[in-house]
Amino acid sequence: MNAADLGLPVDVPSTALFTDQYELTMLQAALRSGTADRRSVFEVFTRRLPDGRRYGVVAGTGRVLDAVENFRFDAGVLGFLRDRGIVDESTIQWLASYRFGGDIWGYPEGEVYFPGSPILRVEGSFAECVLLETVILSILNHDSAIAAAASRMSTAAGGRGLIEMGARRTHELSAVASARAAYVGGFGSTSDLAAGFRYAIPTVGTSAHAFTLLHDSERDAFRAQVDSLGRGTTLLVDTYDVAEAVRSAVEIAGPELGAVRIDSGDLLLVAHRVRQQLDELGAANTKIVVTSDLDEYAIASLAAAPVDAYGVGTQLVTGSGHPTCSMVYKLVARARSADPRAPLEPVAKKSTGGKTSVGGRKWAARRADAEGVAEAEVIGTQTVPPELVDRQLLVELVKGGEIVAREPLDAARERHVAALAGLPMSALQLSKGEPVLPTEYV
């Protein structure tokens, strides 16, 4: 059984309309001019990282593969296009049999990237590739932004637990994608059940202030929760008086109390006081979870506090101030005819204003120093130098329209840990700085 079987809004029958209208009008014009079948190469990259960030994180690749596979124009979608007069009838007939039959290469999910990195390379006819622009960018821009924020928060947490709990702060579908991206970036669990259902991410959750306020006393609320969920549950202790709540929590649950959660106040001060009180009451193994509008800087400020886990919502699902990565999808090479043997020619936008791009079908590799630490992101269009052949970053994701690189989400999560370990230590600094690796074109 999957999400579609349950009628949940996390599976979409078709992703074909997750696009901008001009993708279809370009298709119509290209079909009329005879250029639609020209072999083409599009690349996804960003010209710069968000201000002050030292690296980016690739996330959403698995969702891109799902979107490409489900990019189908069914009868309802075609009827909509026809009724609105968006494209002509011959274009509608072409779309009716659309299936992406090209190749896609990309940085594997969880890998890091830098300005200019060819994060995704889409190859095929112009017609089949151009239609995928919007949906690919919408996924990668969103998910990579969340994963980058999650990665910074994971660094700040220093191995302590991280709980994604931002579902109520974003769109219901982006909440599921956010939880997935946060897991890639280092979070260990989510409060969002749809994310747990769809992606097998561990889910957590116990109670809110409303549950305490429902009961005649805080003790009644704690007793009801412990009776229902067991002594290992997490009790929320800041509805009224924290010290009194902690005392009641331990009296009711005993030293086996799993954790207490603090959601307000001076978290540094309160955490120290609660830890001392728990220890004095014999609950030395009871953990402390803190929430309340945390970001990577707030988490870092609590490094000296006796905190065991952090719950993060708003700042995580909004990319901690950078909700997009400014990735673009550009045509970088194309043939002069539809002949499959026609050579590819580099093309690039040359306008002023910082929006230029580099033409040519690219490879990317990460050069390391003698100690094995990365020292540059090397990008080229010609033959890969022998010393970089084994350090290439792009992997084959789709071949001839068939997906060849699906993997468990945990693989992306583990890859991200390894990618960070290969960067200079300065990559983990939270202070603003330049990208930790320079981009070199050869």
Side-chain angles (χ1 to χ4, degrees):
M1 179 177 290
N2 60 30
D5 295 327
L6 297 177
L8 296 175
V10 291
D11 264 346
V12 178
S14 168
T15 52
L17 291 185
F18 289 171
T19 192
D20 292 305
Q21 180 168 315
Y22 79 170
E23 313 292 5
L24 300 188
T25 54
M26 281 192 288
L27 168 66
Q28 176 177 301
L31 289 170
R32 286 190 179 187
S33 70
T35 55
D37 290 331
R38 289 186 176 184
R39 191 158 59 101
S40 301
V41 179
F42 287 82
E43 288 176 353
V44 174
F45 63 93
T46 184
R47 297 182 177 93
R48 63 191 66 83
L49 297 181
D51 184 41
R53 295 283 175 90
R54 297 170 186 261
Y55 62 89
V57 180
V58 178
T61 308
R63 296 208 309 121
V64 165
L65 297 180
D66 292 340
V68 171
E69 189 172 61
N70 291 319
F71 205 91
R72 304 284 188 269
F73 292 83
D74 58 27
V77 170
L78 294 172
F80 165 78
L81 298 177
R82 183 179 289 111
D83 293 344
R84 292 290 184 91
I86 292 172
V87 289
D88 61 22
E89 188 60 32
S90 62
T91 303
I92 287 175
Q93 294 304 314
W94 188 93
L95 291 171
S97 59
Y98 176 85
R99 300 289 187 274
F100 178 73
D103 303 328
I104 299 178
W105 290 69
Y107 280 39
E109 192 158 17
E111 184 57 84
V112 296
Y113 69 87
F114 300 91
S117 295
I119 295 163
L120 202 72
R121 191 175 72 217
V122 183
E123 305 181 32
S125 70
F126 176 84
E128 63 183 336
C129 294
V130 74
L131 294 182
L132 300 176
E133 175 181 6
T134 303
V135 69
I136 286 176
L137 287 179
S138 66
I139 292 171
L140 292 180
N141 267 314
H142 174 269
D143 290 22
S144 297
I146 306 307
S151 179
R152 287 165 57 84
M153 293 174 187
S154 181
T155 294
R160 295 173 176 178
L162 287 166
I163 307 163
E164 185 282 315
M165 46 196 306
R168 63 191 61 194
R169 302 299 188 210
T170 187
H171 184 278
E172 69 270 19
L173 296 186
S174 67
V176 181
S178 294
R180 183 187 183 282
Y183 189 71
V184 170
F187 275 60
S189 59
T190 179
S191 65
D192 189 81
L193 290 177
F197 172 74
R198 186 175 177 91
Y199 298 116
I201 301 170
T203 58
V204 297
T206 52
S207 68
H209 293 290
F211 186 77
T212 300
L213 296 171
L214 169 69
H215 291 80
D216 295 337
S217 71
E218 192 169 48
R219 292 181 67 88
D220 288 345
F222 287 173
R223 186 173 293 107
Q225 184 174 327
V226 170
D227 287 347
S228 174
L229 301 179
R231 296 177 184 272
T233 191
T234 298
L235 295 175
L236 180 60
V237 295
D238 71 327
T239 305
Y240 304 118
D241 179 84
V242 173
E244 181 60 32
V246 171
R247 187 176 303 109
S248 297
V250 176
E251 287 178 4
I252 291 168
E256 298 87 6
L257 175 63
V260 295
R261 179 163 74 95
I262 307 166
D263 187 51
S264 59
D266 184 337
L267 297 179
L268 179 63
L269 175 63
V270 175
H272 276 287
R273 288 177 175 174
V274 168
R275 180 74 271 160
Q276 180 179 353
Q277 187 180 11
L278 287 169
D279 292 346
E280 291 172 350
L281 292 170
N285 293 323
T286 299
K287 299 184 182 302
I288 297 175
V289 179
V290 296
T291 53
S292 186
D293 293 326
L294 299 177
D295 61 10
E296 61 264 49
Y297 303 107
I299 291 171
S301 73
L302 292 169
V307 172
D308 299 285
Y310 307 91
V312 190
T314 303
Q315 291 301 319
L316 176 61
V317 300
T318 57
S320 195
H322 297 287
T324 181
C325 303
S326 299
M327 293 178 186
V328 294
Y329 183 96
K330 296 298 181 183
L331 180 67
V332 297
R334 52 86 173 167
R336 283 190 176 271
S337 72
D339 186 339
R341 298 166 297 180
L344 289 171
E345 299 180 356
V347 293
K349 182 177 179 179
K350 299 297 183 184
S351 63
T352 59
K355 286 193 174 184
T356 59
S357 57
V358 178
R361 180 180 185 272
K362 301 175 193 66
W363 53 262
R366 192 161 295 149
R367 190 176 69 239
D369 63 18
E371 303 299 322
V373 178
E375 62 179 11
E377 194 88 340
V378 185
I379 299 170
T381 58
Q382 304 301 318
T383 302
V384 182
E387 67 274 15
L388 294 178
V389 168
D390 293 335
R391 300 192 64 85
Q392 293 186 80
L393 293 163
L394 279 78
V395 299
E396 194 170 31
L397 302 172
V398 177
K399 182 176 183 178
E402 298 295 324
I403 295 171
V404 296
R406 277 207 171 93
E407 63 180 6
L409 193 57
D410 279 328
R413 178 180 170 86
E414 293 165 6
R415 182 179 295 115
H416 181 60
V417 173
L420 287 185
L423 297 179
M425 291 184 65
S426 58
L428 304 184
Q429 294 177 331
L430 297 180
S431 57
K432 288 187 175 182
E434 295 300 311
V436 71
L437 296 186
T439 301
E440 297 179 3
Y441 290 93
V442 297

